[in-house]
Structures are given as C-alpha cells and as structure tokens.
Amino acid sequence: MTKKYDVAIIGSGMGGSTLAAILARQGLDVIVFEAGQHPKFAIGESTILETSEMMRALAKFYDVPELAYFSSENYLDYAGTTHGVKRHFGFVHHEVGKEPTPERTLQAVIPKEPYGHELHIYRQDSDSFLTSVAISYGAEILQNTSVKDVGFSTDGVKITTAKGDEYQAEYIVDAGGFRSLLAEKFALRDFDLQTNTRGMFTHMVDVPCFHDVSFSKEENGLPFRWSEGTLHHLFEGGWLWVIPFNNHPEATNPVTSVGLLLDPRVHPPRADLTPEDEFYAFIEQFPGLKKQFTNAKQIRGWVRAERLQYSSKKVLGDRFALMGHAAGFIDPLYSKGLYVTHMTIMLLADLLLKAKKTGDYSAKTFSPYEEITLGYVKMHDQLTLNSIKSWSNYNLWRVYSVQWLLGAYLEYLMLSITRIRAKDRAEYIDLLKNNRLAGGGFSGFFEVQKKVDALFDAVDPANKADVDRMVAEANALLRDFKWLPLPFDAILDGKNHLAKKKFRLTLFNKEDGFMGSGAYKKHFFGDISLLELGIKGAKDKLIYARAYLRWRRKKDARLAWRK
C-alpha cells in the first residue's frame, strides 16, 4: 500500500485493456487485476461498422493508434492473419423439417470503402495484444490475480486480492463481466428485461460454407458467399451463429465460432443432455443446419449459459463504475456488445481524466456515463426482443430487418461524420450525447422506431390476418420516413440483399440523398458542406488505405522491432 493508483480496473478483456491503455497513455497510474491469464477464450467475435468506427475514434482522440488495429481488414498486417473478414451480415430463415429457400435469405453487405470490410476477431489474440499495449504505455497488469473485496472511503478505494495483497486507488472500474464483484457487493443486478435467451457455444473446424451444402451462391443471387461474413441461421424462438476465421486468402486460422441461442419459453432447457448433445439434437430438426455440421469437429469444450440477459439498477457509485458486460448484456444477435463497450469507454475515460484534475469522483459527476450505458441496454433489449419474435413469420422479419438496418445505418452515419467534423474530443462526445445504440440520436428515427416496435409488441405471429395488417402498417411507417435509403426500400419490396457497390448518383439528391435536408441534415452534418465533407472523406480514405497503413507500419510501428 505504498503507492496509490489513479484507477484500478478489474478484468483485462477487450474493454478493460482498452481503457487501461487509454488512461496510461494519458498519464494516469493504472493497475489491472486479471483473474485468468492471456491468451484465453472469449466470445464477442464479430465486429460491426459502429464498433470499428468507435475504435478509430478512440485511437484518434486518445492518441492510442493501436486501438484501431481491429477496426477493418485494411489493418490485417497489424492485427494478424488469425482473424477473419466480414463482408456481410447474413441471415437464412429455417422451418422445422424443411429445406431453406433462397427467397428467405438476407445479405446485408458491408461497404468496403473507405476503410475495408469488417473483421471476425479471434479474441484470444486481440485481447492478449491489447493487454500488451496497455502494459507498453505504463499500465500495471496482474494476471492470475483475482480480487476478493473492494472497500470504499471518502478518500479512495482499497482492493484486496484473493492472495491477501492490498492496493489503493482513487477510483475502480469493474469490467469483470456477469460475475462482477461490485454488482454482487451492492446487489445491482437487474433481470427485468424483455429478451430471454439461453446459449451454448464452442469453436469448431471443418465447418463448410453453407452454400456448399445448400443452394449455391448463384442460385441465391448474392454478392458474397455465406462464409465471407457472419451467418445467422434463424428459426422460431432462436438463432445460430457461424463466424469463420478462415475465410480469406491470407487466413492462417482454421477455426469457426459456433453458437446456438434459444428462447427457453419456446425451447425449454434439456438438463438431461450435455451441451454438445443438445446442440446436435436441436439441429436435427432442420435439414439445412444438419448438413452444415455433419462433419464439423469441436476443438474445445462446449460452454452452456442459462439466461443471458441482465442489466444493472445502476452502474455507478462514488468512486466506482461498472463497464461492458459487468454493466449488462442482452444477446449477441447484432454484435452490438463491443460497440456498447467502446462507446462507454469513450465517455468514461474522458470523465476519469477530468476527475483526476478536479478530485471529484462522485457518482453525480459521472452521471452522464450511467445515462448512456442504461440507454443503450434498453434499446438493445427492444431491438432483440422483436427481432426474435419476427422469425415466427418471415413477413414480419422482412419488415423488422429494415428497422434494424435503418437504425444501424443512422448510428454509423452519426459516428463517422462526427469523428470527421468534431474539432476535439469534447465536441465529439457532446455531439453523440443523444445516441442510443440505433438511430444516431435522431429524433425522427426514434418516432418511427417507437411506432413500429409498438406494432410488433401487439401482433400475433400465428394470426395471418393480424400479421398482414401489421406488416402493411409497419411498411407504411418505414416508407414514410423521408430519408429511408433506397436499398432498404428494396428489401421491403422483396430483394434479398443490399448492393455490393454503394456509390450511386442518387446519393447526391438534394432532398433525399446522403446529406438529406432539414432536421436530418442539421442533426447529422451540421454546417459541413458537401465539398468539405468530400475533402475530409478523401483524406480519411488515404490514411486508412491498406497501402498507406503498410508503409506506416514499416516506417514507425511503435511495437514492432526495428533494426
């Protein structure tokens, strides 16, 4: 107890190590307690545009370039070839006893420009690397060191490890996941959520592309093979993910991540079966799924998790905060978890740096962090609930997929334009203060979202007339949204994929183009002109181009050995 740290962190997963690297880079004394040891297994392997954009923003506004290494395939020279690529969000709808059909599929193509496609992150490598980055910036990380207790006083925090060692800090961040020590200590867990799924997951090898065991890519009429992105198999009351790390020419990792998520109210738990036996017994009902996993082999034991959903009554107290999965978790359906973690890191790190100057570590001072964290959890819960409900009838899913796409597009638009136009971190955080996971903080979207969600809350999927009425009303609401992108409108008309090439002349339409008009333009673009945006966008494309990144890495990569 001879040294008092500025911040102590429990957990060195992607969130804990990222926060530690930022704070240490900004001059704070940081100590991290990790119960395990890297490299270690973790799920949360599929990135989305929002997550990657937050990685670039954190790298820029906190001067930690390594935080962007997992933000796109253009960084594969930095991240390494154990990671996969993600060129699309793919969905195949199944019914019991029937083969799936090309018409009941959706491929949400991810734009390649300007940063490259997304990644499938092999977490044992990413988390280990980020822990090393934090250490290189000066953070002290104690692996194989679990925390037994945390005590609070008016002038600081005392941390006692399971080994009996004691440490002091001004503030503590619990990034320890569901079994959060502080959530348990203060009875903060909240299970009053709408979504209810349980899961089982593992890593496998010899999982073929779904096109190789079902209809071909050409029959499907899609831009990419299913194996080139994150594939979601959908069915009533649940879904199954397939995340390959071996899906590009440079890949050196033969592994595929596989997970099955089920609503226990539709598919009750099978305590009489092992997770592996339950997985295979379940997919036996679906001919397409059975074919994809006939010759697959697991390389690690299955993990079974009961109800996944939880939140917290509050995520703050005087001198402490819950972060990432310690604060809450809904479902990995749309890969939102890492986005929520990185967004909250942006705000929490800023508040901690301010508290270092003022000495004020009260819960009141950190209240904006609690507001945004719980707001994201609430929106995530609603989005996942109605998505799962919609899979009972494909007509419902076609409509709700557009609700999801629109919300994700507007969120990413707000994030990317804000990073370009904000003069500093303070302005960046201020402009994003109304973001809530989907919709980019735009009130016009929230108005539509609430109406569509209300329709889904009330519809009976088993009543065809009720479904037809509800689908017509939801269609009208979405089409009446003045700034609905044309490719999303086409999905409502029955198209099964977004275009591979995103550039088109209609983007420059004054009223309903990319920059829109009225409240939309003011909210997302402020006073920036199309010319100014074009110039800054071209610069962005250059500095994140793979050729330029390769040159930078050879020239001055901070962590690479150089002669």
Side-chain angles (χ1 to χ4, degrees):
M1 295 180 63
T2 57
K3 178 178 180 179
K4 189 174 187 180
Y5 295 87
D6 293 310
V7 179
I9 300 172
I10 300 176
S12 65
M14 184 169 269
S17 56
T18 294
L19 179 62
I22 287 171
L23 297 178
R25 175 69 181 91
Q26 295 297 315
L28 271 60
D29 286 326
V30 182
I31 186 167
V32 182
F33 301 92
E34 169 56 54
Q37 180 172 321
H38 294 289
K40 61 179 185 175
F41 172 74
I43 59 169
E45 301 146 318
S46 172
T47 62
I48 55 177
L49 291 166
E50 300 97 297
T51 306
S52 296
E53 180 52 41
M54 285 308 305
M55 289 177 176
R56 290 187 286 271
L58 288 168
K60 173 183 177 180
F61 290 117
Y62 288 105
D63 193 23
V64 185
E66 295 87 357
L67 300 183
Y69 285 9
F70 303 100
S71 67
S72 80
E73 66 175 330
N74 286 0
Y75 274 102
L76 276 175
D77 290 325
Y78 294 73
T81 54
T82 57
H83 309 284
V85 298
K86 178 177 177 176
R87 309 195 193 286
H88 66 78
F89 247 117
F91 301 87
V92 178
H93 189 262
H94 299 259
E95 292 183 287
V96 173
K98 297 180 181 180
E99 292 281 359
T101 63
E103 295 75 26
R104 293 192 168 199
T105 62
L106 172 63
Q107 192 170 97
V109 175
I110 294 168
K112 183 176 182 179
E113 301 297 340
Y115 310 111
H117 291 295
E118 298 297 298
L119 289 181
H120 289 158
I121 301 179
Y122 194 49
R123 289 289 300 276
Q124 71 172 49
D125 288 356
S126 64
D127 295 13
S128 180
F129 172 79
L130 288 169
T131 296
S132 299
V133 169
I135 294 171
S136 77
Y137 279 113
E140 183 176 345
I141 296 187
L142 306 179
Q143 299 191 64
N144 297 312
T145 305
S146 58
V147 176
K148 180 181 180 181
D149 193 21
V150 178
F152 295 88
S153 64
T154 56
D155 62 349
V157 180
K158 183 174 76 172
I159 303 102
T160 305
T161 71
K163 301 173 185 176
D165 298 324
E166 294 183 346
Y167 299 83
Q168 286 188 337
E170 295 285 359
Y171 197 90
I172 186 165
V173 176
D174 191 336
F178 171 69
R179 294 177 179 84
S180 158
L181 176 69
L182 296 182
E184 182 176 344
K185 183 180 181 71
F186 295 109
L188 299 180
R189 279 287 169 256
D190 178 9
F191 296 96
D192 186 19
L193 295 161
Q194 302 178 90
T195 311
N196 189 344
T197 55
R198 61 189 182 91
M200 56 206 81
F201 40 87
T202 190
H203 280 169
M204 291 182 163
V205 293
D206 298 336
V207 179
C209 175
F210 191 65
H211 279 309
D212 294 337
V213 296
S214 187
F215 39 79
S216 69
K217 173 176 171 289
E218 289 69 31
E219 290 175 292
N220 214 164
L222 299 176
F224 295 108
R225 286 171 62 80
W226 289 123
S227 57
E228 293 182 87
T230 305
L231 176 57
H232 305 69
H233 292 294
L234 313 177
F235 38 81
E236 183 177 6
W239 65 284
L240 187 155
W241 81 65
V242 182
I243 302 174
F245 302 108
N246 61 343
N247 61 354
H248 59 100
E250 299 171 69
T252 56
N253 185 357
V255 171
T256 297
S257 178
V258 176
L260 175 63
L261 284 297
L262 301 172
D263 186 332
R265 297 163 296 190
V266 181
H267 306 288
R270 295 290 306 275
D272 57 318
L273 298 177
T274 66
E276 179 183 9
D277 289 340
E278 183 178 9
F279 174 84
Y280 282 104
F282 184 85
I283 66 173
E284 188 75 24
Q285 306 172 82
F286 303 96
L289 290 180
K290 181 180 177 181
K291 291 176 185 176
Q292 188 169 23
F293 292 98
T294 296
N295 297 313
K297 307 171 186 70
Q298 71 185 67
I299 64 167
R300 62 182 311 115
W302 284 82
V303 176
R304 173 183 274 158
E306 299 308 322
R307 184 180 180 183
L308 297 173
Q309 292 71 36
Y310 60 91
S311 183
S312 300
K313 299 167 188 173
K314 60 178 184 176
V315 299
L316 289 175
D318 292 339
R319 295 187 179 272
F320 79 85
L322 309 184
M323 189 183 80
H325 293 168
F329 184 81
I330 298 300
D331 190 281
L333 172 61
Y334 294 120
S335 304
K336 300 288 190 183
L338 286 177
Y339 167 48
V340 176
T341 297
H342 284 76
M343 169 59 85
T344 53
I345 287 173
M346 173 64 75
L347 181 55
L348 181 57
D350 185 71
L351 291 169
L352 284 168
L353 291 173
K354 290 176 179 175
K356 168 65 176 177
K357 295 179 179 179
T358 64
D360 184 356
Y361 293 96
S362 66
K364 182 179 180 181
T365 299
F366 285 76
S367 60
Y369 172 79
E370 181 164 81
E371 180 181 353
I372 197 168
T373 299
L374 296 181
Y376 272 57
V377 171
K378 183 178 179 180
M379 177 69 81
H380 196 183
D381 187 29
Q382 185 71 53
L383 175 65
T384 307
L385 171 76
N386 284 334
S387 295
I388 294 175
K389 184 175 184 178
S390 74
W391 303 333
S392 299
N393 185 305
Y394 194 75
N395 291 329
L396 292 175
W397 164 239
R398 186 180 299 283
V399 173
Y400 208 73
S401 68
V402 173
Q403 168 98 320
W404 157 64
L405 284 167
L406 179 60
Y409 164 70
L410 293 177
E411 190 81 356
Y412 174 62
L413 177 65
M414 186 64 178
L415 295 175
S416 56
I417 298 301
T418 299
R419 177 175 56 82
I420 288 175
R421 60 184 274 224
K423 63 179 180 296
D424 54 28
R425 186 171 74 236
E427 183 180 13
Y428 178 85
I429 291 174
D430 184 63
L431 287 170
L432 297 181
K433 64 186 177 184
N434 293 321
N435 277 43
R436 290 294 181 270
L437 187 88
F442 184 46
S443 60
F445 168 79
F446 292 145
E447 292 171 9
V448 175
Q449 170 252 323
K450 288 177 182 177
K451 292 176 182 178
V452 172
D453 279 331
L455 291 173
F456 269 85
D457 288 343
V459 71
D460 178 5
N463 185 324
K464 183 179 183 303
D466 196 28
V467 169
D468 290 344
R469 173 196 59 77
M470 186 249 121
V471 166
E473 290 185 37
N475 259 289
L477 286 169
L478 290 166
R479 291 182 195 274
D480 284 346
F481 184 72
K482 186 178 179 181
W483 304 279
L484 183 74
L486 290 176
F488 299 171
D489 198 73
I491 298 298
L492 291 174
D493 289 333
K495 193 171 183 178
N496 70 349
H497 66 275
L498 300 180
K500 186 175 182 180
K501 293 185 177 180
K502 306 299 184 185
F503 182 83
R504 58 190 185 280
L505 292 177
T506 53
L507 288 174
F508 299 98
N509 289 352
K510 188 173 182 181
E511 295 298 317
D512 57 359
F514 172 67
M515 294 190 72
S517 62
Y520 177 92
K521 183 178 187 303
K522 181 179 180 181
H523 178 80
F524 289 101
F525 297 93
D527 296 327
I528 194 170
S529 68
L530 183 60
L531 176 60
E532 185 181 2
L533 183 62
I535 293 171
K536 291 187 175 184
K539 180 181 178 183
D540 233 31
K541 178 175 171 57
L542 172 64
I543 64 175
Y544 291 108
R546 196 163 189 185
Y548 181 73
L549 290 173
R550 282 178 170 174
W551 175 79
R552 284 290 304 272
R553 186 170 188 271
K554 290 179 180 179
K555 178 177 177 292
D556 58 6
R558 195 180 68 86
L559 295 180
W561 179 86
R562 298 196 306 272
K563 186 175 181 181

